[in-house]
């Protein structure tokens, strides 16, 4: 689907530019196809999970977004019709060279990490990763992820709008403080899950200016240190407290089907590094989330 300022005086444009500069470049992506429904009724995570697991699969088509051959599928349970993003990729390579030229050993690109990302997002109370479940599609299992309603654009398109002479399309968030808070938490979350594939095309923006990070198939590396510690500068106080409460037993219960012991241990080590860095930055590194 393939759906406070960062420092005093910093703008949302600077946040986005910094994010782009510090992440590996990827090929351009096309806009996703329109979903089968505009807005679904308010559903709990548990209700969405059951829908994704049980609803009948109808029409499927290529998302034309990303490089993993994923599908957009229309699901229906007789009462609700809604789209899902299906990703079945599960690729391993001893050595992988990325688009930016960097080399990674023991590379893995897996649908299972979408589900692990959703589970960890809920454990820490961030609540911005779309619901994702494991379900068979064809002859193999895949991640079925809730297709976001009311997507306005992605972050790549937003920045392109800012450069455009056409000012009829809004490119500036109505509340810079809220926008920066969201961007900061995405960057911190990516450090926690060791996501090496964040790019502006998989930061989706809905009409209420909520920021939704999607597509985590190249996350959960086993590095115990932070790849980009400078990306952790501010974070939501309540989320940090819930990060501190994470333990191996809880992570194993929630993600053990999708992550190895080494990956879970690495999450906890990176969590400790995030907490240490934030504490070193002082009390101003924590904020109380507003409006999202």
């Amino acid at each position: 689907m393939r759906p406070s300022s960062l420092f005093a005086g910093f703008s949302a444009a600077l946040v986005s530019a910094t994010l782009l500069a510090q992440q590996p470049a990827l090929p351009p992506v096309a806009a996703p196809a329109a979903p089968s429904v505009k807005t679904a009724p308010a559903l709990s995570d548990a209700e969405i999970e059951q829908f994704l697991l049980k609803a009948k699969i109808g029409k499927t088509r290529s998302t034309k977004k990303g490089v993993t051959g994923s599908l957009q599928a229309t699901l229906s349970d007789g009462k609700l019709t809604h789209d899902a993003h299906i990703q079945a990729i599960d690729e391993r390579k001893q050595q992988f060279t990325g688009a930016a030229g960097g080399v990674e050993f023991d590379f893995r690109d897996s649908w299972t990490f979408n589900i692990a990302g959703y589970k960890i997002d809920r454990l820490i109370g961030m609540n911005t990763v779309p619901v994702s479940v494991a379900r068979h599609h064809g002859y193999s299992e895949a991640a079925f992820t809730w297709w976001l309603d009311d997507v306005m654009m992605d972050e790549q398109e937003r920045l392109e709008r800012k450069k455009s002479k056409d000012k009829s399309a809004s490119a500036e968030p109505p509340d810079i403080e809220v926008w920066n808070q969201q961007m900061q938490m995405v960057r911190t979350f990516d450090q926690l899950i060791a996501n090496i594939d964040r790019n502006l095309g998989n930061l989706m923006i809905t009409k209420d200016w909520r920021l939704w990070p999607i597509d985590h198939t190249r996350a959960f590396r086993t590095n115990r240190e932070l790849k980009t510690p400078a990306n952790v500068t501010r974070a939501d106080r309540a989320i940090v407290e819930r990060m501190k409460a994470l333990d191996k037993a809880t992570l194993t219960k929630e993600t053990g089907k999708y992550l190895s012991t080494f990956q879970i241990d690495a999450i906890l080590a990176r969590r400790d590094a995030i907490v240490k860095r934030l504490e070193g930055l002082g009390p101003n590194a924590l904020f109380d989330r507003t409006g999202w």
Side-chain angles (χ1 to χ4, degrees):
M1 219 165 100
R2 72 246 231 255
S4 87
S5 55
L6 299 182
F7 301 99
F10 273 46
S11 67
L14 179 57
V15 179
S16 298
T18 303
L19 177 64
L20 178 60
Q22 294 180 335
Q23 300 296 340
L26 289 179
V29 293
S36 297
V37 295
K38 288 192 68 176
T39 305
L43 300 172
S44 67
D45 286 347
E47 289 171 327
I48 294 174
E49 287 183 16
Q50 286 304 302
F51 176 82
L52 292 172
L53 287 167
K54 303 297 184 183
K56 183 178 179 179
I57 302 171
K59 179 181 178 182
T60 63
R61 57 274 193 202
S62 171
T63 63
K64 299 180 181 179
K65 186 177 180 72
V67 294
T68 60
S70 57
L71 298 173
Q72 180 179 350
T74 299
L75 276 58
S76 180
D77 63 1
K79 297 179 181 179
L80 173 66
T81 298
H82 198 275
D83 283 4
H85 183 204
I86 302 177
Q87 286 176 292
I89 190 166
D90 195 7
E91 183 179 76
R92 298 172 186 263
K93 293 183 178 180
Q94 289 186 337
Q95 182 175 322
F96 175 79
T97 302
V103 176
E104 181 182 0
F105 296 97
D106 298 323
F107 170 86
R108 189 175 181 194
D109 191 345
S110 177
W111 63 268
T112 59
F113 299 158
N114 274 336
I115 302 170
Y118 156 61
K119 295 287 188 180
I120 291 175
D121 170 273
R122 295 309 191 269
L123 283 174
I124 65 174
M126 197 165 87
N127 300 323
T128 60
V129 173
V131 177
S132 191
V133 302
R135 176 176 175 176
H136 272 88
H137 183 250
Y139 297 102
S140 62
E141 275 196 306
F144 278 59
T145 303
W146 184 256
W147 195 273
L148 289 171
D149 295 316
D150 294 327
V151 170
M152 183 166 55
M153 56 188 157
D154 59 35
E155 177 64 353
Q156 179 174 306
E157 182 181 351
R158 187 183 79 85
L159 293 179
E160 290 172 354
R161 288 186 183 185
K162 283 174 66 72
K163 297 177 183 178
S164 173
K165 295 180 180 180
D166 179 11
K167 301 303 180 183
S168 61
S170 174
E172 290 292 350
D175 191 321
I176 299 298
E177 169 72 14
V178 171
W179 177 258
N180 288 340
Q181 289 180 5
Q182 293 182 86
M183 189 67 77
Q184 270 296 330
M185 282 315 309
V186 167
R187 297 174 77 196
T188 300
F189 181 69
D190 281 342
Q191 292 301 303
L192 177 67
I193 68 171
N195 184 5
I196 66 167
D197 191 32
R198 178 64 64 215
N199 65 87
L200 302 183
N202 57 35
L203 289 174
M204 311 306 292
I205 305 167
T206 48
K207 291 179 180 179
D208 56 1
W209 283 93
R210 286 283 306 275
L211 187 64
W212 299 84
I214 64 169
D215 197 352
H216 302 99
T217 65
R218 294 183 182 179
F220 298 103
R221 276 36 191 166
T222 55
N223 55 288
R224 299 173 67 89
E225 74 288 348
L226 303 181
K227 288 289 188 181
T228 316
N231 278 4
V232 179
T233 53
R234 300 185 71 245
D236 174 72
R237 191 185 320 275
I239 292 176
V240 172
E241 289 304 312
R242 292 183 68 160
M243 285 174 57
K244 290 179 180 179
L246 288 176
D247 55 43
K248 189 167 184 175
T250 301
L251 285 171
T252 300
K253 177 182 177 182
E254 294 296 322
T255 69
K257 290 177 62 176
Y258 312 109
L259 302 178
S260 69
T261 296
F262 296 112
Q263 289 170 313
I264 290 172
D265 288 342
I267 291 169
L268 292 171
R270 292 191 299 268
R271 180 276 312 274
D272 292 343
I274 288 170
V275 171
K276 181 178 180 179
R277 175 165 172 80
L278 289 170
E279 289 177 345
L281 291 172
N284 289 335
L286 299 179
F287 60 79
D288 296 305
R289 135 165 70 171
T290 57
W292 60 287

